[in-house]
Amino acid sequence: MSSTAPEPRGQDPSVGELLAEVTSDVQTLLRQEVELAKAEVREEAAKAGKAAGLYGGAGFGGYMVALFASLAAMYGLANVMDTGWAALIVTAVWAVVAAVLFAKGRSRMREVSPKPEQTVETLKEDAQWARHPTK
C-alpha cells in the first residue's frame, strides 16, 4: 500500500505506514542537507581559490616589478651614492611592498570558512525538532 493513497474515513494509518512515512521524510531531509553542504563547500572553495590567486599574482607581480624596478632604481641611485648602498635601499623598499601584499592575501584567506555554517545550523534545528516535535 502506498503512503500517498487516500485513507478510508475513520481508519488511522498503521504503525508500519507511519514508520515508513517518517523514514522517507528523514531520508529526504538528509539528502537535502547533503546538497546544502555541497553547495556551501563549493562556495567556500571558490573563495579560497580567489585568495590563492591573489597570493600567486602578488608573488609573480612582485618578482617582476622588483626585478626591473630594482635594477632601474639601483642604477639611478648609483649616480649619487655607492652602488652597494643603492642596491640595499631598493631591496628594503621591495621588502615592504612584499609584506603589504602578503598581509592582504592572508586577510582574504582568513575570510574563508571551511565549515558549512548554514548546514550546521539547519542540522541543529532538525535535531532540536526531532527531540521536541511539538515546539
Side-chain angles (χ1 to χ4, degrees), residues 12-76:
D12 291 333
S14 70
V15 173
E17 290 171 337
L18 290 174
L19 186 58
E21 188 176 331
V22 167
T23 301
S24 175
D25 290 347
V26 168
Q27 287 174 344
T28 301
L29 179 63
L30 288 176
R31 275 193 295 270
Q32 289 172 344
E33 294 297 339
V34 167
E35 288 302 314
L36 178 60
K38 285 180 185 178
E40 284 189 81
V41 168
R42 278 191 297 268
E43 185 179 319
E44 292 303 314
K47 284 183 189 177
K50 289 176 184 175
L54 286 173
Y55 276 135
F60 180 74
Y63 173 75
M64 295 304 290
V65 169
L67 176 66
F68 293 110
S70 294
L71 289 172
M74 184 182 74
Y75 286 118

